[in-house]
Amino acid sequence: LTRERYPVRRLPFSVVSGEDLAAFERIVPGRVITDPEVLEASNVDWLRTVRGSSVLLLRPRTTEEVSHILRHCHERNLAVNPQGGNTGMVGGSVPVFDEVILSTALMNQVISFHDMSGTLVCQAGCVLEDLSRHVEERGFVMPLDLGAKGSCHIGGNVATNAGGLRFLRYGSLHGTVLGLEAVLADGTVLNCLSTLRKDNTGYDLKQLFIGSEGTLGVITAVSILCPPKPRAVSVAFLGCPGFSEVLQTFSTCKGLLGEILSAYEFMDAECMWLVTRHLRLTSPVQESPFYVLIETSGSRAGHDAEKLNDFLEQVLSSGLVTDGTVATDHMKVKALWALRERISEALSRDGYVYKYDLSLPTERLYDLVTDLRARLGPRAKHVVGYGHLGDGNLHLNVTSEAFSPSVLGALEPYVYEWTAEQQGSVSAEHGLGFKKRGVLGYSKPPEALHLMQQLKALLDPKGILNPYKTLPAQA
Ligand code: FAD
Ligand code: MLT
Ligand code: ZN
């Protein structure tokens, strides 16, 4: 399936032998998995669009074990696929051929939490939702949140530089990750697990690993700065008559909500159709061409409510918004968020999903969706637009009954060319992984690509870490 759609040849790595298995059994006793049934889940991605054929899954518990595994793989020239929660969207988390899967699932210990600064230090395999619970009990929140929180690992989040639903407020992991520990391809442990806010001693090496998608090293631990838990959280779910009103509502709320604005997400009517139809969720507002979800997070409920009411009055009276609902109760807030967070789940129940994750100038964010609807016509089941509008990030998704080369041909390279013309990014937050490795050139100049190849060669001279991922295949 994978190799037909994405032509790629196996590179001359070694094949796992009985002696390798024995060596791994000594490094991680009882955690060397060869059972094909268990391996099945680790060989296929969340979207079920790519599948590898690995025969070996290793589950280390410590950095030292990761180091020993990589040292062995390096010596033996065995390719390795680091894997967290396997929720990645670009096929980076599963092997392409028979790469050894190195899972962080058992590296799930919190190492420390500092109550004063909010600095969390933990192993890479901690599940994001577990970390959220841990820090929330102590009066803090994780600086990132995403629909995959119940499964994704913090190491995977850092490896993909995940954006998500709190990006607007707390910014990128490039700012909130204070330090990390990574094991290099040859087994060297690089301890940059600093907890300092400021540290300008030499090059900031940790940044190289943030967003490197497992191609430069295996992240084994991270230290991350958690902001204080907001005392008051409100969510407004609103219907807008057009995309221009979505944009004007955004400008209005930036002005009127100011520092308490913590998320501005949007979805179109087709997204609402999908979540109500496939997931049986109920729309809380009248049917509209567009919906926006606005979250405010502040320190005093009364103050926030006053601001939110002023804002709502203005957008309703001016016709920017035609209907809306507001929640402050935790369960109601969660129910409103589900409408937006679960779109990807609804899409995957609709058929084969062609997924694009683009950064575009906000004013033109929806033009491509309209354009593609006309271009694809009845060949597509649905063409939808949703995403992190406040960050200029569009999720453009197309579904068809089954994979269709003709739909793909109409989408690519058209979508990438369109994006490059706008000086946008062909991957705003999901990374390139396996499926998008060939399109890096639409968003970066040849000199940048060349430097990336050189960095890869320096850190992983044998190319054993996540081969076939992130960087385009070399001639
Ligand atoms: P995996 O999927 O296991 O791996 C992802 C990549 O990182 C792979 O290349 C893998 O090799 C590498 N990797 C994993 N762990 C390590 C490690 N310890 N060291 C080195 N490399 C490693 N993304 C967003 O940015 N924003 C969103 O809002 C968002 N929402 C999502 C919602 C849903 C429902 C789903 C399914 C996914 C969503 N994603 C989103 C995709 C996102 O990339 C992942 O959810 C998450 O960041 C990946 O974490 P993971 O542990 O599952 O990593
Ligand atoms: C989202 O924002 O919902 C995620 O990035 C997942 C997706 O794009 O499907
Ligand atoms: Zn997203």
Side-chain angles (χ1 to χ4, degrees), residues 16-26 72 76:
V16 174
S17 67
E19 279 169 26
D20 292 321
L21 291 179
F24 290 132
E25 193 55 51
R26 286 192 292 276
H72 180 88
R76 280 274 301 125

Side-chain angles (χ1 to χ4, degrees), residues 85 87 127-130 133 145-153 341:
T87 65
V127 171
L128 180 59
E129 197 166 44
D130 295 341
R133 209 172 300 118
D145 184 27
L146 41 146
K149 61 188 134 234
S151 312
C152 64
H153 297 182
E341 279 182 41

Side-chain angles (χ1 to χ4, degrees), residues 85-106:
N86 195 10
T87 65
M89 292 277 165
V90 286
S93 52
V94 292
V96 178
F97 296 97
D98 57 346
E99 298 90 279
V100 175
I101 304 173
L102 194 163
S103 162
T104 52
L106 300 181

Side-chain angles (χ1 to χ4, degrees), residues 146-147 163-165 265 340 357 386-388 393-395 429-430:
L146 41 146
L165 309 165
E265 298 283 323
R340 162 62 189 86
D357 162 37
Y386 60 99
H388 316 288
N393 182 182
L394 169 73
H395 292 313
E429 58 171 12
H430 294 162

